[in-house]
Structures are given as C-alpha cells and as structure tokens.
Amino acid sequence: MYRYPISTFNFFIYVTILLSRVTYAQSPDKDTTSIQSAAGATAAPPLPSHASSEVIEISGTTTTFRPIFTVPTDADVGAPLLPNINDPNATDAQTACSGYNATNVKRTAYGLTATLNLAGAACNVYGTDIETLNLTVEYQSVDRLSVRIVPAYVDSSNSSQYLLPTELVHQPTIDVDAESSSLTNDLSFVWSNDPTFSFSVFRKSTGDTLFSTEGTKLVYENQFIEFASALPENYNVYGLGETIHGLRLGNNFTKTMWAADIGDPIDYNIYGSHPFYLDTRYYEVDPSTGNLTLVTSNETNATADYVGYSHGVYNRNAHGQEILLRPANITWRLLGGIIDLYFYAGPTQPDVTTAFQTSAIGLPALQQYFTFGFHQCRWGYANWSQLQEVVDNYEKFGIPLENIWTDIDYMNQYRDFDNDRVRYNYTEGQTFLSNLHASGRHYIPIIDSAIYVPNPENASNAYPTFNRGNDTNSFMTNPDGSIYIGSVWPGYTVFPDWLGSGAGPWWTNEMVTWHDQVAFDGAWIDMSEVSSFCVGSCGTANITMNPVHPPFQLPGEPGAVIYSYPEGFNLTNATEAAAAASASSSQAAASSTAGASSTIPNYLRTTPTPGVRDINHPPYVINNVQGDLAVHAVSPNATHADGTVEYDVHNLFGSQILNATYNALLAAIPGKRPFIIGRSTFAGAGKWAGHWGGDNTSLWAYMFFSIPQALSFSLFGIPMFGVDTCGFNGNSDEELCNRWMQLSAFFPFYRNHNTLTAFPQEAYVWASVAEASRTAMNIRFTILPYMYTLFYLAHNTGSTVMRALAWEFPNDPSLAAADRQFFLGPAILVTPVLVQGAANVSGVFPGAGGSGEVYYDWYTLSAQNISTPGANVTIDAPLGHIPVYLRGGYVIPTQEPAMTTRDARRNPWGVIAALSLEGTAQGSLYVDDGESLVQENGTLFVEFTASDGALYASARGTWNDTNPLANVTVLGVQGSVGNVSLNGVGVEEESVQYNETSKALVVSGLTGLTSGGAWKNDWVLRWS
C-alpha cells in the first residue's frame, strides 16, 4: 500500500527543522566583533533585507519571531563556462606552442639535471609561458624514479603558485641506501631534443616503454601545464580518484580533480583528489622461447601462459587539473604548480602500493577494534530518546550494533561544537552516552567544516566558538584582509585557515571543550571540499540576517518530498511505485519554471594577461562538475594567512582538516587511536582517517559502484572505506537493502545511513533485511580477528585490505576489468548479487580448474568443483544469501560473534585452515588491546602453518590473551580421520567431526586443553 509521503515521523522532523531555524525577537545589542566588508572579484552585494516580525501560535503560546531569510538560488550561480574539452573553438596547445629544448645537462650522483628553455616564441595560450625551467631526475631507490620540472626562478613572490610545501604533502626524497640500491633500479630515463625536449621511462628487464612524451610538446605556463604520454592499445589504468566509475578507467574518460560538494554523480569529479595511477600490462609468454608479446585485446586464451607487470605514476600536484585518458595516450593538464612525477617500478600491484605508501603518502592508520563493528546513522534522528530507541531496536531484533551516529540534527541551529539545548541537551546526553558506553557501544557525531558567524544585532545569537577563532585569526580572508564569509548549513559562515598558526590550536581547543560535555568516540568530518552554498563572500554585507536558510530546499520541504525508489521497485511494489511516480510528476510540474531557453549561453572566455593570473576564472576551463570553480565552494581568491590563495590549495582542505582533527582527538581522548571518517581527501589522508563514499543514492547502480570505489581507495592508501549502505539519497526498498547490508558486511567501514525524510532503512525495518543482516554480520564478527590483522599489516607494510581479483592473480589478463567480486585480504572471495530480481550470480574462481587453486564454500565447507579455468560459474544466491568462499592455502583466525566487539573480544578463539590442493596453508593473527596508540602492555603475533596433517601455531609478543581455543576447522582433508591430538594430547572422539562429503574436519571441545589462553603456548594440532 502506498505510504503517504509525509508520515507522522517525517512531519515531526520537518516541524523540528522549521522550529530550529527560528530566531526569536530580541532587543538589538551590537556584538563587539568587527567584521569588515569584503573586497575582490567574488565579493557579493547586500541581499534584500528580511521581512518584519511575524506571530505564530505554538502549543497555545503566542510567539513572535522573524522569518528565516532564504539565500537566493542565484547566489550559488557562477559564470557560464564551457569546458575546454567540449569547446570546439578551444586552442590546441600542442599546435600553438613550441615546446622546450634541454641544455646544460649534467650528471649527478643519482641522475641528472638540465635547463629547459623555450624552443620558440611564447604561445601564452592559457597563461604566461615560463621561459626557463629546471629539470631534475633522480633514481631515488631500488624501485622509484623522480622527474621534477620547476620554473627556474621561484622566490617568495611566487613560490605558492608552484611549490607544494612538503609539510602539506610529503615529498619523496632519495633513500639513505640509494647509492647502492638505485643501481638495481629497473627503470631507465632517456631524454631527447628531437624535435623538442621529451623524455621516456623504460623498464629495463622487458624493454617496455612505461611513459613517453615523445611526439608531444611540453607546455608550461603560470596557469596551464600540459604533458602527455603514449599508452598501449586497450591499456589497463586504475586510480586517479575520486570518481564514481568502474575500476579500470578505460580509454575514453576525462578525470577532473577539483574537490566538489556534489551528490555522487557518475564519472565526474567529487570530493577528493588522488593524482596516482596503476598501469598493468599483460604479456603472452612464448612457451618455446620465453619471448613476451604485449596483450592488446580483451580476449584471452585460457590455455596460454601470461605474465603481468605493473607500475605506478604519481604526480605530486594539488592544483585543479584534468587527466585525459584517450585510446592511445594519457594527457595531464594542470592549472598550476609543477611537474613532480614519481615512477614506481613494481612489478606487481602490491609492490607498487607498498612503495607508494612508504615513500610518498604514508602508511594507513591502524583503527581501533570497535570501528569494525556495525555503524547506524541517519539525517533525521530527532533527539537522544530516538537514538536510544534505535539502539534498543537493534538489541531487540538481535542485530549487532556497535556505533550510533548523529547527523547535523544534534546541533544548535547546525553549529559545530554546540548541541541543541532541548532535543540534544548535555544532561540527557551524558546519561545516554554513559549507558551506551556501558553496553560496549560508541557514539560518533558529524562535524562540519564551516563555522557560523553570529548576528551582531542579536545578543542571543552569540557563538563563542566563532569568537575564539576570530580572536586567533583562524579563518580565511578576502584579498583585502577582511574575513571571507560564505554560506553553509547554519547560515553565513567562515572557514578555518589551516595554513595559519591559529586554526590548529583553536580547533583542538573546541574539540576538547566540547568533548568535556559530550563524550564522543570519534569524528565524522563533512563538507570539507571545502563547501560553500554561495559564490564569493556573500555574507559580508548580510551578516545581520543570520541565521539564513540555504539556497535550496531541504529534503521533505514543499517541493522536495522524496518519491524516488531503486530500479525495479515498480516490479515488486507496482501500486506504491505508480503512486510515487504520479506524486513526483505533480511535484515536478508545480516547481517547474517556463521552458528552458534555446539561446546559446554567452560563455565566459578569459584571455590571459601577461604576468597576471586570473584565479577566479582561469583561461583553461577544466571539466568541473559545478562549472565555475567558486560554485558550491569557497572561491579561489579566498586568502590564507601566508598569502596563499585558495586556488593553489583548494584540493588540500579536506586532508588538512583531517590532520587537525587527528591532533584534536589525541588531545580530547588521550592515548586512543583517533577514529575519523572524512569526505574530502588528498594523497596521504589515510594516515589520519578513513573515508566514506559520500552522498550516494538508493539505486542498484551505486551498490555496484561501491566495489570499484573501495578498491580504488585501496590504491590510495585509505583502506578504511565504506559507503552509505542501502543508499543515502532517495528511498531504499527491502530487496536493495537486503543485498546491500550483506555486501557492506565485507567492507572495512560498515555503516547504514540515509537522508532526511526518506523512509527509515535501519536493518530491523524489514524482517528479511534483519535476517540477512544477522547472517552477514555473523560472518563478519567471526572473521574480525582476520580483518584486524589485515589492517595491522596494512599499517605496517602498506598491503591492501580489499583487493581486486587482478591483484591476487597478476598473471591473468581476463581479470583486468573484474570489479563485481573482490577479495578481503588474500583468503576470502566475495561474490555479491548486484542486480535487482536475481536469484543467482555469475562469478569466477581465479586460478581454479587446473591452475592449482581451490575454493571452499563458507556455508557448506565443501570445495567448489571448477572444471574450466577462468569460467564464469552460476552460483545460487537467493535473497538473503551472499556467496562467500575461503581460498585454499590460507589460515583464518576467528572468534565467536557477539552483539558488540567488546564482548566478542572476550569470547573463545577459533581457527579455520583451508588447505590448498597440496594440503598446505598459512596465515597470521595480530592481537593487542584494540585501542591504544602505544601498546604499553605489549602485542601478540601468531603465525599459522599447516602441512602433512598438522596445523602449527607459533606466537611471539607479550600481550596476555586469556581466551581459550574453542575449535579448529580444517577444510579439504582427504581421507577419513580417526585420531586428533593437540600438543600430543588426544582430543575426545565426540569432539571430532569429519564430513566425508565436504571433506571438512571440525575439532571442538578444545577449551579445556587451552584454558590458560589459546596463544599462551605454541601448539600443533595433528590429525590422521
């Protein structure tokens, strides 16, 4: 039956929003804070004054208030721009410019240096040509080559235009052992002046050209840099985030990097910027000669022998940019900065990823154990009581819940570090959090990136957080030095200046002060691109109107009622779908304006001015999803304390606020590893935080794209990744949520979250979703020790957690584009259903069917019978079942599940040994206290080895874990089992079960033999 779009609950939330926006009439009382008027190209004129006071009756009480002014929609409209890639009249820099010639080439201890001079007249096509450049080439390590091209004349007047400070983004340098190790580097740099300067990077062992600018010209201007490299036919390139796209990027794709607050459009730039790519090339091996032939076709021969080689390319540049992937080449177009390239030889993906992390971006943060539990959130939880109701419901329905989150609802009129005094008051909150923590659960609030500016004409509008930041010069300014005031959720806002000396300590102080009132356990950083709902400093002349409403309708407000559902909803809920479609059409008709104009827009085209940068509208127009760089973002001419303009560091704000939050949490919650989930990221953010996929939609397409998103962030060094399970925007439905709750159970960050006034989608809302969730969570909790160990290894070695099939099987070209399945670590293969209405799913079992691999079904424990290598196998997957397989050759540590990770960590241990076809397996387990930054009580590392009818466990470390060993399961045991012993002590016959059909040996009843702790002593389990 069709549910009326404004339910009682949704109506309550809607009214709550309206009431939270009311500012009651007060006697004018000027604030002592002085806010100067702004200057500069993006400063906005005063908006129309707000209406006079009105009177309403609330619960029988007559109340006077002033209506909240809504920022006009056109306040967030920028100049009409046509991206150059779509502009038929755009000048081709390769045709117009002359390139450079290399002179003064000198050898150095680790490479060479040279001077590059313009080879002809300056073209000044999208800026002012830099006449003289310096080239530095360094063999920095055994597997890394650096190519750096910098303007020859950089001083304090222009350094921020070009040089990215290493304190903001780490710059790889020559390794201490490079004098010897670089001699075996497999990369070779070659340059030429024929006809102008170009360079190539070769792999010496194969002779393959990995990167070559030959046949193109280097263009180097103050607002435009272009260089290009040839690529082989049907190349396999991955990375270049952040974009909603398939894992393999393809050869007809333009990747834009300009951090944008936008609801997850497919193929466009969104929140983060990661200028790194992995290039994998496959070669067919001639069986008689060993010669290699590059594979350029998507069709492969299942019986042929192949070998794969991977290399990585990182351009350490944070400016706005485009990377054009075309059938024969890759082209970089940068709006500033320098060429700062790092080539990683590999030759495998793990080699590349490890080298990239250890040299350039840092190793990912080790998360607290509790963060791997399940997280529940939504925009629309009205008060502490409703949060408690959600927690109680999860307990009632037997679904593990570890963490409860709040969106901006908890805030006092959407202001950071300030709770609503009625709905989320501190006294009630302290009781709620005390009980929550006592149950082993945790609380994570959202923290936005903009700070409300109090209305100076309203004394009750005081906001000490702003005053303290203003007093310490913690906010960005306009070019004339006045505070830059944009607009975000609370109204007119200012933005922290992370390049100044005041913002970091101020942010820490606010976090610590607020934590004294609200004992939160981590931080969710949002809106950090950084987002602003108007172009320019629109609040400067309008601050006396604060608070103001955003220039768009909130979900559920008239004209913005949510009627959307997942694909195929009409097939399972025809009546409700038809009613929703009708209501949606009526709403669209009511809000539509006159027909769109057929007039061709008068696009703004900026002509370069010699020696002057147009930072608001650079002459080269990148394909930004928002168009104008200032739309829905802080404008490029916003200025930082050191004189740097936002144009040069826009893509870094997200990482900088994560760094500041990391330090703040160290102060607020001393000794604990900070838990942070952030939206905007740059290369290196993973050492401080995890990331969620942003504002996705309740569609099957977005569930599919969550897999390549997660795999891409594995390449970027941010393994703590997840998406809004069941979808954020729109209404989810039972089938989609059923499948998605099971899929996300195998992502590191596992959270259900949806938007304001959408129908509830907690795991207990539908009976089938509750059951599916319990099933998947049971697996997740069972393997949490394995997942935690994967994160420990990632934190210490740079290995990945979620893995593409191609990374585990690097010599199989048929897996190059596989992104509908994934491995969790090396041992667990997940094959989810990703389409509506399906009762089965096709999947591959890499390496099985004659290539030495075997896979065991998690549920039946039996080996899969795969007869043909590389075959797509149809797997039964009715609703509520997600196919999961254990890969032979691996040992997985387990622990009995519980409703929280705290309680699970107190449960007995288990071990699953999935034997290879040769009867062997190996694995490891890492154990610590699960939360401390420094392990004062020691750690424990257990190594497992299985062979010849025995499983060995050998531990080292001083952590004292007293939980016993409950059971051991061995898969792929050939032949019946009569005797089992643990360290020579026989296991009772009733505790030994061997299944002749599945070939699974289950040994239980081991707690008595390990009462002092499963790992107190080394042990060997034998069977015969």
Side-chain angles (χ1 to χ4, degrees):
M1 180 178 178
Y2 177 60
R3 290 173 286 183
Y4 192 72
I6 299 292
S7 64
T8 302
F9 169 74
N10 290 340
F11 180 75
F12 169 75
I13 294 299
Y14 174 56
V15 171
T16 299
I17 295 168
L18 295 182
L19 292 179
S20 72
R21 308 295 300 190
V22 169
T23 299
Y24 294 98
Q26 299 285 340
S27 300
D29 185 4
K30 291 286 187 180
D31 189 86
T32 58
T33 303
S34 175
I35 304 174
Q36 301 172 350
S37 62
T42 58
L47 296 168
S49 61
H50 56 70
S52 59
S53 298
E54 294 187 2
V55 177
I56 61 171
E57 186 173 289
I58 302 177
S59 301
T61 302
T62 300
T63 305
T64 302
F65 73 101
R66 69 167 180 85
I68 295 300
F69 177 80
T70 296
V71 177
T73 302
D74 59 8
D76 201 24
V77 176
L81 301 174
L82 181 63
N84 274 63
I85 62 169
N86 299 328
D87 187 353
N89 299 318
T91 301
D92 177 16
Q94 290 297 309
T95 301
C97 301
S98 56
Y100 288 79
N101 285 323
T103 61
N104 195 30
V105 179
K106 296 180 180 180
R107 293 179 182 174
T108 67
Y110 298 101
L112 62 86
T113 61
T115 301
L116 304 182
N117 296 298
L118 277 174
C123 60
N124 298 328
V125 60
Y126 295 116
T128 302
D129 281 27
I130 310 299
E131 293 186 4
T132 307
L133 307 170
N134 288 336
L135 166 70
T136 303
V137 178
E138 293 177 338
Y139 293 89
Q140 295 187 334
S141 71
V142 68
D143 59 0
R144 185 174 72 255
L145 170 69
S146 167
V147 177
R148 185 175 169 93
I149 303 176
V150 186
Y153 307 107
V154 177
D155 58 25
S156 59
S157 68
N158 64 358
S159 62
S160 67
Q161 299 178 22
Y162 303 111
L163 302 183
L164 186 58
T166 191
E167 59 267 22
L168 294 185
V169 178
H170 177 70
Q171 179 184 347
T173 56
I174 297 171
D175 282 7
V176 293
D177 64 347
E179 186 173 352
S180 57
S181 66
S182 63
L183 297 177
T184 58
N185 193 310
D186 198 25
L187 302 178
S188 176
F189 176 90
V190 176
W191 67 275
S192 171
N193 271 341
D194 184 16
T196 61
F197 171 76
S198 65
F199 71 89
S200 300
V201 177
F202 297 92
R203 185 185 296 279
K204 291 186 288 189
S205 59
T206 64
D208 190 19
T209 303
L210 305 186
F211 195 95
S212 178
T213 66
E214 185 177 357
T216 67
K217 299 170 185 173
L218 172 62
V219 182
Y220 210 119
E221 300 175 341
N222 65 346
Q223 285 198 269
F224 181 76
I225 299 173
E226 179 175 279
F227 60 97
S229 170
L231 287 176
E233 183 181 357
N234 288 323
Y235 52 81
N236 305 300
V237 166
Y238 314 88
L240 297 177
E242 181 181 9
T243 305
I244 308 294
H245 192 81
L247 179 63
R248 183 169 68 173
L249 297 179
N251 59 13
N252 186 26
F253 177 59
T254 298
K255 170 57 199 166
T256 303
M257 292 188 187
W258 183 260
D261 171 15
I262 185 74
D264 283 17
I266 294 171
D267 287 351
Y268 282 91
N269 56 302
I270 49 176
Y271 316 105
S273 301
H274 296 269
F276 166 86
Y277 71 79
L278 177 78
D279 183 338
T280 299
R281 303 180 186 185
Y282 297 95
Y283 301 83
E284 186 171 354
V285 183
D286 188 301
S288 57
T289 66
N291 291 339
L292 303 180
T293 302
L294 182 67
V295 176
T296 59
S297 171
N298 291 324
E299 299 297 326
T300 56
N301 184 346
T303 62
D305 289 330
Y306 298 94
V307 62
Y309 287 87
S310 292
H311 67 274
V313 179
Y314 170 48
N315 187 30
R316 183 178 164 271
N317 185 298
H319 276 80
Q321 57 194 273
E322 282 180 346
I323 300 95
L324 285 66
L325 292 162
R326 297 297 182 262
N329 55 53
I330 180 172
T331 300
W332 297 73
R333 293 175 179 168
L334 318 172
L335 296 186
I338 67 171
I339 297 174
D340 198 6
L341 291 166
Y342 299 86
F343 297 91
Y344 295 89
T348 67
Q349 173 273 324
D351 294 331
V352 171
T353 302
T354 296
F356 177 46
Q357 292 183 35
T358 54
S359 69
I361 64 172
L363 294 163
L366 179 59
Q367 303 292 335
Q368 293 190 55
Y369 205 92
F370 83 80
T371 66
F372 299 108
F374 175 65
H375 305 250
Q376 179 61 54
C377 183
R378 79 161 294 160
W379 182 10
Y381 288 145
N383 48 47
W384 292 119
S385 297
Q386 194 168 94
L387 287 189
Q388 186 63 58
E389 182 181 345
V390 172
V391 173
D392 292 344
N393 278 335
Y394 271 98
E395 187 79 31
K396 172 184 176 182
F397 287 96
I399 305 170
L401 174 68
E402 185 80 18
N403 307 286
I404 189 73
W405 295 48
T406 49
D407 209 308
I408 58 177
D409 315 274
Y410 78 86
M411 297 178 178
N412 176 17
Q413 301 183 77
Y414 301 156
R415 304 174 190 180
D416 280 352
F417 313 122
D418 193 13
N419 278 37
D420 184 281
R421 299 298 189 269
V422 177
R423 297 179 296 109
Y424 280 95
N425 67 79
Y426 294 126
T427 301
E428 186 180 350
Q430 288 164 1
T431 300
F432 169 82
L433 292 173
S434 177
N435 293 333
L436 187 77
H437 290 146
S439 71
R441 296 180 171 91
H442 304 83
Y443 168 63
I444 317 294
I446 196 171
I447 302 173
D448 281 335
S449 302
I451 299 299
Y452 178 74
V453 181
N455 187 330
E457 295 184 354
N458 187 347
S460 68
N461 203 228
Y463 184 37
T465 289
F466 166 81
N467 295 337
R468 289 189 288 265
N470 195 37
D471 291 342
T472 52
N473 299 314
S474 296
F475 306 126
M476 292 189 217
T477 64
N478 288 290
D480 69 350
S482 62
I483 293 181
Y484 182 103
I485 304 176
S487 169
V488 192
W489 297 115
Y492 294 121
T493 55
V494 292
F495 305 88
D497 177 8
W498 305 115
L499 301 189
S501 61
W506 161 77
W507 189 257
T508 294
N509 177 72
E510 298 309 311
M511 291 276 281
V512 171
T513 301
W514 187 43
H515 188 266
D516 289 341
Q517 297 284 347
V518 182
F520 52 85
D521 301 288
W524 171 22
I525 302 299
D526 197 14
M527 313 299 290
S528 51
E529 292 69 36
V530 56
S531 175
S532 177
F533 298 161
C534 63
V535 173
S537 190
C538 64
T540 297
N542 302 294
I543 201 62
T544 57
M545 304 174 72
N546 241 356
V548 296
H549 189 285
F552 50 82
Q553 295 166 307
L554 300 182
E557 290 183 346
V561 177
I562 297 172
Y563 295 111
S564 61
Y565 288 92
E567 311 94 318
F569 181 73
N570 59 309
L571 302 177
T572 56
N573 299 269
T575 301
E576 188 169 352
S582 176
S584 178
S585 297
S586 299
Q587 177 171 267
S591 60
S592 65
T593 58
S597 172
S598 60
T599 304
I600 298 176
N602 184 20
Y603 294 115
L604 173 66
R605 289 180 170 87
T606 302
T607 301
T609 301
V612 178
R613 294 195 304 167
D614 190 331
I615 57 177
N616 287 321
H617 299 109
Y620 183 84
V621 180
I622 61 174
N623 190 32
N624 178 27
V625 66
Q626 299 282 17
D628 191 318
L629 300 181
V631 170
H632 227 65
V634 167
S635 292
N637 73 337
T639 307
H640 295 265
D642 63 353
T644 302
V645 290
E646 182 69 1
Y647 178 90
D648 296 320
V649 293
H650 169 80
N651 286 335
L652 298 180
F653 186 98
S655 288
Q656 291 171 314
I657 193 173
L658 294 177
N659 185 11
T661 303
Y662 185 91
N663 293 327
L665 286 177
L666 287 177
I669 315 175
K672 301 264 184 90
R673 303 168 201 156
F675 173 52
I676 311 167
I677 295 295
R679 193 166 77 173
S680 183
T681 57
F682 189 79
K687 59 182 172 286
W688 301 308
H691 173 62
W692 99 102
D695 295 345
N696 64 1
T697 302
S698 296
L699 294 172
W700 290 83
Y702 281 95
M703 181 170 67
F704 155 69
F705 279 121
S706 69
I707 299 175
Q709 277 183 281
L711 296 175
S712 294
F713 273 88
S714 292
L715 295 178
F716 304 147
I718 307 180
M720 191 62 173
F721 178 89
V723 297
D724 285 346
T725 301
C726 301
F728 176 73
N729 287 309
N731 295 306
S732 193
D733 70 3
E734 181 176 5
E735 183 181 2
L736 176 63
C737 203
N738 186 306
R739 295 295 193 188
W740 212 333
M741 282 295 294
Q742 292 207 312
L743 169 60
S744 287
F746 298 92
F747 280 47
F749 177 51
Y750 184 19
R751 184 182 75 165
N752 181 313
H753 177 48
N754 68 326
T755 191
L756 185 69
T757 73
F759 292 131
Q761 61 185 40
E762 289 82 3
Y764 52 74
V765 170
W766 298 279
S768 77
V769 176
E771 182 59 29
S773 300
R774 284 189 289 265
T775 298
M777 288 186 191
N778 183 273
I779 302 175
R780 180 183 180 90
F781 268 75
T782 299
I783 64 172
L784 274 185
Y786 170 73
M787 184 179 290
Y788 190 65
T789 301
L790 291 175
F791 264 80
Y792 167 76
L793 295 173
H795 173 67
N796 283 275
T797 71
S799 60
T800 52
V801 177
M802 285 182 68
R803 303 179 183 180
L805 274 57
W807 304 344
E808 282 297 301
F809 293 86
N811 299 324
D812 186 349
S814 70
L815 302 176
D819 56 8
R820 291 166 176 78
Q821 300 172 264
F822 60 91
F823 281 99
L824 185 60
I828 296 176
L829 175 65
V830 182
T831 306
V833 172
L834 300 171
V835 295
Q836 189 273 332
N840 54 57
V841 60
S842 294
V844 297
F845 294 88
S851 299
E853 295 285 340
V854 60
Y855 294 85
Y856 301 92
D857 187 296
W858 173 273
Y859 306 95
T860 68
L861 306 182
S862 60
Q864 298 303 288
N865 182 19
I866 310 299
S867 58
T868 304
N872 259 305
V873 178
T874 300
I875 304 165
D876 288 337
L879 192 63
H881 176 76
I882 182 169
V884 178
Y885 301 91
L886 300 174
R887 181 180 171 191
Y890 292 93
V891 177
I892 296 176
T894 66
Q895 211 158 10
E896 292 181 12
M899 292 294 286
T900 65
T901 60
R902 180 199 66 182
D903 295 343
R905 282 172 59 87
R906 298 169 178 170
N907 282 343
W909 294 94
V911 176
I912 302 175
L915 300 180
S916 67
L917 294 177
E918 292 76 30
T920 63
Q922 56 83 31
S924 59
L925 166 67
Y926 172 75
V927 187
D928 62 11
D929 71 6
E931 62 181 22
S932 298
L933 201 62
V934 177
Q935 291 296 317
E936 295 181 353
N937 293 320
T939 64
L940 188 71
F941 193 78
V942 185
E943 294 179 283
F944 303 101
T945 305
S947 63
D948 300 323
L951 173 64
Y952 301 84
S954 176
R956 61 181 185 271
T958 58
W959 174 259
N960 182 28
D961 184 281
T962 59
N963 299 316
L965 179 68
N967 54 73
V968 173
T969 301
V970 185
L971 309 181
V973 176
Q974 304 302 315
S976 59
V977 175
N979 298 297
V980 176
S981 65
L982 183 69
N983 280 352
V985 178
V987 178
E988 296 181 359
E989 183 177 347
E990 58 268 25
S991 296
V992 178
Q993 297 181 2
Y994 176 71
N995 189 306
E996 293 282 356
T997 302
S998 67
K999 308 297 182 185
L1001 170 65
V1002 179
V1003 182
S1004 58
L1006 300 176
T1007 54
L1009 299 176
T1010 57
S1011 57
W1015 324 118
K1016 183 177 182 179
N1017 300 301
D1018 294 350
W1019 52 258
V1020 55
L1021 182 86
R1022 299 185 185 276
W1023 61 90
S1024 60

